[in-house]
Amino acid sequence: MVKKSEFHKPLVTHMYTADPSAHVFEDKIYIYGSHDLENMGLDDGKGDHFKMVDYHVLSLDDIGAPCVDHGEALHIKDVPWATEQMWAPDAAYKNGKYYFYFPAKDKDGIFRIGVAVGDKPMGPFQAEENYIPGSYSIDPAVFRDENNRSYMYVGGMWGGQLEKWRTGQFVPFSGEVGMDGPQGDAPAMGPYVAEMSEDMLTYKTAPREIQILDEEGKPLKASDTDRRYFEGPCMHKYNGKYYLSYSTGDTHYLVYAEGDSPLGPFTYKGRILEPVIGWTTHHYIVEFKDKWYLFYHDSSMSNGVTYLRCIKYTELEIAQDGTITTIVPDQD
């Protein structure tokens, strides 16, 4: 089933925003995203043309309401261990505190996951002195299950460095983007998941790879670029099942897979969103007032400049069996 989207306009137009995660806190929707800056960087395939140094928190009182920009919530100058590229973040609430998770490169040029803590959902957030021990790659997404256990999902290929950790240690790039990971009929890499400690500041378990299977129960192949994992994991739960959604990267789809556990394995089910204007596709799925919504970004506000994006959202149709109606974006 395919649905023509009724996409909203960009949430804000006074700055470029991207990589949304959306959460319902205090009866509002809070959107945590990255802040794209104009620059002269070249696209080298490793994402170095994405130059971001701070985060703003946005909020909606209701669907269709004006979007509020709460201002700067965290800047790289206030993160002792980070040097550049404050990419896609996420947030969580527990223990009376709000936890803001973000990737950035450390002083060795390796992506790590940091955490900052605040008393309010819009921040400001105070960064911890160091990144989460044992963390790596990009795109943190935190899911809190009904049993009060929390899990962080991470991982982005190519510029996100996920494939550089296949041995358990960071191995520098070979020099050709895309050639360090699995190839051909080899099983594709999946995102990694770690259970969070009770204090939400560290991992309780070491990150482990998630398996994504085809309809026959076999791992998706690296060559299956329309379905295999690339970046941007998101987890939601519906009618007792767990749904891992993600971007396929260079084929520009948002897709999803179903499982019986937050740790997987997951079976591929279908597409959520057809390609939008721009290269990257990043999203979040959230329930609000008994309806489901997809937050995503595209490059429509910059007339297709891939690293200058804008956050949008639209209602998501989910059937009783968990099937998500595919959305075809309005490119006008």
Side-chain angles (χ1 to χ4, degrees), residues 17-330:
T17 56
D19 304 320
S21 68
H23 297 272
V24 179
F25 296 137
E26 300 179 349
D27 299 319
K28 299 180 182 181
I29 299 178
Y30 283 88
I31 302 97
Y32 303 86
S34 53
H35 177 198
D36 286 340
L37 299 175
E38 296 191 56
N39 68 86
M40 298 300 291
L42 298 176
D43 183 358
D44 57 2
K46 295 186 291 185
D48 291 339
H49 57 308
F50 292 98
K51 303 287 187 182
M52 297 96 102
V53 298
D54 66 348
Y55 296 102
H56 285 232
V57 178
L58 310 176
S59 71
L60 296 169
D61 287 347
D62 204 346
I63 297 301
C67 182
V68 176
D69 175 6
H70 295 277
E72 187 178 276
L74 184 68
H75 194 282
I76 196 168
K77 64 180 172 54
D78 299 317
V79 182
W81 59 269
T83 61
E84 62 177 339
Q85 290 171 303
M86 306 278 274
W87 287 6
D90 195 16
Y93 174 78
K94 194 173 183 178
N95 308 323
K97 296 285 186 180
Y98 293 90
Y99 299 88
F100 184 78
Y101 300 98
F102 58 94
K105 285 184 176 178
D106 66 13
K107 292 176 173 59
D108 294 319
I110 299 174
F111 268 115
R112 305 289 186 173
I113 307 298
V115 56
V117 185
D119 295 318
K120 298 179 180 180
M122 73 287 292
F125 297 100
Q126 178 67 45
E128 294 291 295
E129 286 293 316
N130 208 344
Y131 54 78
I132 296 174
S135 68
Y136 48 81
S137 199
I138 61 170
D139 295 350
V142 175
F143 170 74
R144 185 177 177 183
D145 208 349
E146 294 160 355
N147 59 11
N148 210 34
R149 296 170 73 174
S150 297
Y151 303 87
M152 178 180 286
Y153 301 83
V154 298
M157 306 289 282
W158 299 5
Q161 303 178 346
L162 182 63
E163 66 270 38
K164 306 312 299 175
W165 289 91
R166 296 177 70 191
T167 65
Q169 300 291 327
F170 182 82
V171 178
F173 279 103
S174 66
E176 186 174 354
V177 174
M179 296 306 294
D180 292 293
Q183 304 293 320
D185 290 341
M189 290 190 71
Y192 278 61
V193 60
E195 185 174 350
M196 300 297 294
S197 300
E198 182 63 25
D199 64 8
M200 300 295 284
L201 300 176
T202 58
Y203 291 156
K204 182 178 179 180
T205 62
R208 53 174 279 192
E209 188 176 359
I210 291 175
Q211 206 173 36
I212 305 174
L213 310 174
D214 64 16
E215 59 278 3
E216 297 178 353
K218 299 177 181 178
L220 292 180
K221 297 177 180 179
S223 58
D224 189 356
T225 54
D226 283 353
R227 300 192 297 174
R228 62 91 171 90
Y229 178 82
F230 187 91
E231 64 183 358
C234 177
M235 179 64 62
H236 74 274
K237 193 173 184 180
Y238 186 80
N239 286 345
K241 294 284 189 177
Y242 297 87
Y243 292 88
L244 172 70
S245 48
Y246 55 92
S247 170
T248 62
D250 54 340
T251 48
H252 318 299
Y253 300 116
L254 285 179
V255 300
Y256 70 106
E258 179 188 274
D260 295 317
S261 163
L263 302 176
F266 293 90
T267 300
Y268 178 88
K269 289 297 181 180
R271 292 181 189 171
I272 298 171
L273 180 67
E274 297 288 334
V276 298
I277 296 171
W279 197 95
T280 64
T281 304
H282 194 104
H283 77 299
Y284 216 85
I285 294 172
V286 65
E287 185 179 17
F288 182 67
K289 296 184 177 180
D290 299 321
K291 290 186 177 182
W292 290 86
Y293 295 90
L294 173 71
F295 284 76
Y296 67 99
H297 69 222
D298 67 19
S299 296
S300 59
M301 201 169 82
S302 65
N303 295 315
V305 178
T306 59
Y307 62 87
L308 296 176
R309 298 156 293 177
C310 55
I311 294 174
K312 300 180 178 181
Y313 68 101
T314 189
E315 186 175 345
L316 200 62
E317 294 182 2
I318 305 180
Q320 279 297 108
D321 66 356
T323 300
I324 298 174
T325 299
T326 304
I327 297 172
V328 177
D330 184 353

